[in-house]
Amino acid sequence: MSSSASPSAFLPPPPPSIAARLNELQCGLLSPLTFRRELQAAPCWISQLNLQATLEGHASCVNRLAFNPDGTRLASVSDDLTLKIWDSEQMRLVHSQRTFHEQNVFGVRFIPNEPTLVATGAMDATVRLHHIGHESAVRTFSCHMRRVKELEVDRETPHVFWSGSEDGTVRQFDAREPHVCDPTGVCEKNTLIRLNPPCPLGSPTDASVMAWEAQQRSIKSLAVNPFQPCYIAVGASDQQIRIYDRRRLSLGSSFVSQPCRVFSPKHMNFLSGSTSSNPRSVFQVTHVVFSPDGRELLATYSGEHIYLFGLHDDEGDGQRALYAVPRRVERLSDIVEAQ
């Protein structure tokens, strides 16, 4: 008499337990990187994520959040043009003040070594410094020509911060140093990174000016490597993520800045018909962030997916590939593999 196999015999084996994986790690049978990747999205951890609190106080869309260095305060900025400071332990509002921006506020950061100093950036193309508790802005910078989309700091570099704008530049500021923007509206002395060449002389209807305008790239996001803060990543209005070494850059340069690394998902280059950057690409980087150890870079794309790039994946052959393929591509994988 034959017996049929039970339905469970055809099911895949259950994933290894955390204890089993930890034992493999301790015995040297599993790399720390693999251990972290498997467990950071483990269902047992995800199921423990719960909403801790809802912080209410803004009257419109909240665009950016930033913790202070010790994590006890959370700053938020909004389309309501206010800056709010929250106690992140007691989950309550401790301070609110106007930013004096004229349009939606997109960036906010606590300034290193200045516990009461906060920088904001907005659609009105200005960057402002605020002392918490003082209603008027301490300083206003009007260096950018277009919307400011991101602010970034390095905790190991006191008083310094950077701004990224849709004018394609990254500007560097020092809260201790005086800065007066050029009254002509062309302020270049604090330009750290430039994605676009200077605009040619002529009227807006000139062919050279119109061609230049069509090739403009705007900056959407900035990230400083926490382990190697000399490296700063820039996400822009194309498919490329550029990494710059600040030690090789000069403030005030009028030349297009050269990145030391460039990353881009292969299928985006394939669909664009070229491996070159397209300033009007349908794929645009919306946010970039480094891992805590500085060895990986996470990027989100408008209308696409989230991609994880390994910054040291190609070190074995002594070469640095111009385009690094993300480890996990959830879409168009057949196109990626065909290249």
mmCIF file of all heavy atoms in Angstrom, residues 213-229:
data_model
loop_
_atom_site.group_PDB
_atom_site.id
_atom_site.type_symbol
_atom_site.label_atom_id
_atom_site.label_comp_id
_atom_site.label_asym_id
_atom_site.label_seq_id
_atom_site.Cartn_x
_atom_site.Cartn_y
_atom_site.Cartn_z
ATOM 1 N N GLU A 213 20.845 75.672 -21.001
ATOM 2 C CA GLU A 213 19.734 75.456 -20.074
ATOM 3 C C GLU A 213 19.203 74.031 -20.179
ATOM 4 O O GLU A 213 18.843 73.405 -19.170
ATOM 5 C CB GLU A 213 18.614 76.452 -20.373
ATOM 6 C CG GLU A 213 17.408 76.342 -19.459
ATOM 7 C CD GLU A 213 17.700 76.718 -18.021
ATOM 8 O OE1 GLU A 213 18.577 77.576 -17.806
ATOM 9 O OE2 GLU A 213 17.051 76.141 -17.120
ATOM 10 N N ALA A 214 19.168 73.483 -21.396
ATOM 11 C CA ALA A 214 18.635 72.131 -21.599
ATOM 12 C C ALA A 214 19.529 71.064 -20.977
ATOM 13 O O ALA A 214 19.068 69.938 -20.735
ATOM 14 C CB ALA A 214 18.466 71.860 -23.087
ATOM 15 N N GLN A 215 20.792 71.404 -20.723
ATOM 16 C CA GLN A 215 21.733 70.429 -20.182
ATOM 17 C C GLN A 215 21.939 70.571 -18.671
ATOM 18 O O GLN A 215 22.798 69.890 -18.100
ATOM 19 C CB GLN A 215 23.089 70.570 -20.886
ATOM 20 C CG GLN A 215 23.058 70.191 -22.361
ATOM 21 C CD GLN A 215 22.703 68.729 -22.573
ATOM 22 O OE1 GLN A 215 23.210 67.861 -21.888
ATOM 23 N NE2 GLN A 215 21.816 68.469 -23.534
ATOM 24 N N GLN A 216 21.174 71.425 -18.027
ATOM 25 C CA GLN A 216 21.374 71.675 -16.603
ATOM 26 C C GLN A 216 20.936 70.492 -15.741
ATOM 27 O O GLN A 216 19.878 69.899 -15.970
ATOM 28 C CB GLN A 216 20.610 72.928 -16.170
ATOM 29 C CG GLN A 216 21.118 74.206 -16.801
ATOM 30 C CD GLN A 216 22.605 74.386 -16.586
ATOM 31 O OE1 GLN A 216 23.050 74.676 -15.494
ATOM 32 N NE2 GLN A 216 23.381 74.200 -17.639
ATOM 33 N N ARG A 217 21.734 70.171 -14.758
ATOM 34 C CA ARG A 217 21.399 69.141 -13.779
ATOM 35 C C ARG A 217 21.146 69.819 -12.437
ATOM 36 O O ARG A 217 21.902 70.695 -12.027
ATOM 37 C CB ARG A 217 22.524 68.119 -13.652
ATOM 38 C CG ARG A 217 22.771 67.320 -14.924
ATOM 39 C CD ARG A 217 24.013 66.448 -14.805
ATOM 40 N NE ARG A 217 24.209 65.667 -16.006
ATOM 41 C CZ ARG A 217 24.831 66.114 -17.091
ATOM 42 N NH1 ARG A 217 25.323 67.345 -17.109
ATOM 43 N NH2 ARG A 217 24.972 65.340 -18.153
ATOM 44 N N SER A 218 20.107 69.397 -11.759
ATOM 45 C CA SER A 218 19.779 69.968 -10.448
ATOM 46 C C SER A 218 20.099 68.953 -9.360
ATOM 47 O O SER A 218 19.965 67.744 -9.562
ATOM 48 C CB SER A 218 18.312 70.377 -10.388
ATOM 49 O OG SER A 218 17.469 69.253 -10.600
ATOM 50 N N ILE A 219 20.519 69.444 -8.221
ATOM 51 C CA ILE A 219 20.869 68.576 -7.093
ATOM 52 C C ILE A 219 19.632 68.327 -6.247
ATOM 53 O O ILE A 219 18.900 69.257 -5.893
ATOM 54 C CB ILE A 219 21.999 69.201 -6.260
ATOM 55 C CG1 ILE A 219 23.294 69.208 -7.081
ATOM 56 C CG2 ILE A 219 22.206 68.458 -4.947
ATOM 57 C CD1 ILE A 219 24.463 69.889 -6.399
ATOM 58 N N LYS A 220 19.406 67.055 -5.929
ATOM 59 C CA LYS A 220 18.240 66.652 -5.148
ATOM 60 C C LYS A 220 18.590 66.226 -3.728
ATOM 61 O O LYS A 220 17.775 66.354 -2.823
ATOM 62 C CB LYS A 220 17.525 65.490 -5.858
ATOM 63 C CG LYS A 220 17.102 65.775 -7.290
ATOM 64 C CD LYS A 220 16.071 66.871 -7.375
ATOM 65 C CE LYS A 220 15.569 67.044 -8.805
ATOM 66 N NZ LYS A 220 14.563 68.126 -8.916
ATOM 67 N N SER A 221 19.803 65.676 -3.539
ATOM 68 C CA SER A 221 20.131 65.129 -2.221
ATOM 69 C C SER A 221 21.642 65.130 -2.010
ATOM 70 O O SER A 221 22.421 65.020 -2.975
ATOM 71 C CB SER A 221 19.581 63.704 -2.090
ATOM 72 O OG SER A 221 19.861 63.160 -0.811
ATOM 73 N N LEU A 222 22.048 65.245 -0.746
ATOM 74 C CA LEU A 222 23.451 65.175 -0.337
ATOM 75 C C LEU A 222 23.591 64.193 0.802
ATOM 76 O O LEU A 222 22.664 63.991 1.594
ATOM 77 C CB LEU A 222 23.964 66.542 0.143
ATOM 78 C CG LEU A 222 23.884 67.738 -0.797
ATOM 79 C CD1 LEU A 222 24.360 68.989 -0.050
ATOM 80 C CD2 LEU A 222 24.728 67.509 -2.029
ATOM 81 N N ALA A 223 24.772 63.580 0.905
ATOM 82 C CA ALA A 223 25.071 62.697 2.038
ATOM 83 C C ALA A 223 26.570 62.688 2.276
ATOM 84 O O ALA A 223 27.353 62.549 1.334
ATOM 85 C CB ALA A 223 24.568 61.282 1.783
ATOM 86 N N VAL A 224 26.967 62.842 3.540
ATOM 87 C CA VAL A 224 28.380 62.771 3.932
ATOM 88 C C VAL A 224 28.652 61.392 4.503
ATOM 89 O O VAL A 224 27.880 60.885 5.330
ATOM 90 C CB VAL A 224 28.717 63.866 4.963
ATOM 91 C CG1 VAL A 224 30.107 63.653 5.561
ATOM 92 C CG2 VAL A 224 28.628 65.240 4.323
ATOM 93 N N ASN A 225 29.736 60.769 4.054
ATOM 94 C CA ASN A 225 30.115 59.452 4.556
ATOM 95 C C ASN A 225 30.486 59.574 6.040
ATOM 96 O O ASN A 225 31.427 60.298 6.379
ATOM 97 C CB ASN A 225 31.295 58.905 3.757
ATOM 98 C CG ASN A 225 31.599 57.460 4.063
ATOM 99 O OD1 ASN A 225 31.638 57.048 5.216
ATOM 100 N ND2 ASN A 225 31.840 56.673 3.028
ATOM 101 N N PRO A 226 29.766 58.889 6.945
ATOM 102 C CA PRO A 226 30.031 59.054 8.379
ATOM 103 C C PRO A 226 31.369 58.475 8.826
ATOM 104 O O PRO A 226 31.916 58.901 9.844
ATOM 105 C CB PRO A 226 28.858 58.309 9.040
ATOM 106 C CG PRO A 226 28.438 57.304 8.027
ATOM 107 C CD PRO A 226 28.663 57.954 6.684
ATOM 108 N N PHE A 227 31.894 57.517 8.081
ATOM 109 C CA PHE A 227 33.167 56.885 8.443
ATOM 110 C C PHE A 227 34.350 57.590 7.784
ATOM 111 O O PHE A 227 35.428 57.673 8.362
ATOM 112 C CB PHE A 227 33.153 55.408 8.044
ATOM 113 C CG PHE A 227 34.254 54.605 8.657
ATOM 114 C CD1 PHE A 227 34.235 54.266 9.994
ATOM 115 C CD2 PHE A 227 35.335 54.187 7.881
ATOM 116 C CE1 PHE A 227 35.256 53.526 10.564
ATOM 117 C CE2 PHE A 227 36.366 53.451 8.433
ATOM 118 C CZ PHE A 227 36.326 53.115 9.790
ATOM 119 N N GLN A 228 34.124 58.108 6.596
ATOM 120 C CA GLN A 228 35.145 58.876 5.872
ATOM 121 C C GLN A 228 34.499 60.176 5.394
ATOM 122 O O GLN A 228 34.097 60.293 4.243
ATOM 123 C CB GLN A 228 35.696 58.080 4.687
ATOM 124 C CG GLN A 228 36.466 56.827 5.087
ATOM 125 C CD GLN A 228 36.940 56.044 3.873
ATOM 126 O OE1 GLN A 228 36.133 55.512 3.115
ATOM 127 N NE2 GLN A 228 38.250 55.988 3.679
ATOM 128 N N PRO A 229 34.395 61.175 6.283
ATOM 129 C CA PRO A 229 33.630 62.382 5.970
ATOM 130 C C PRO A 229 34.219 63.247 4.865
ATOM 131 O O PRO A 229 33.596 64.239 4.483
ATOM 132 C CB PRO A 229 33.604 63.135 7.310
ATOM 133 C CG PRO A 229 34.753 62.585 8.083
ATOM 134 C CD PRO A 229 34.898 61.165 7.668
#
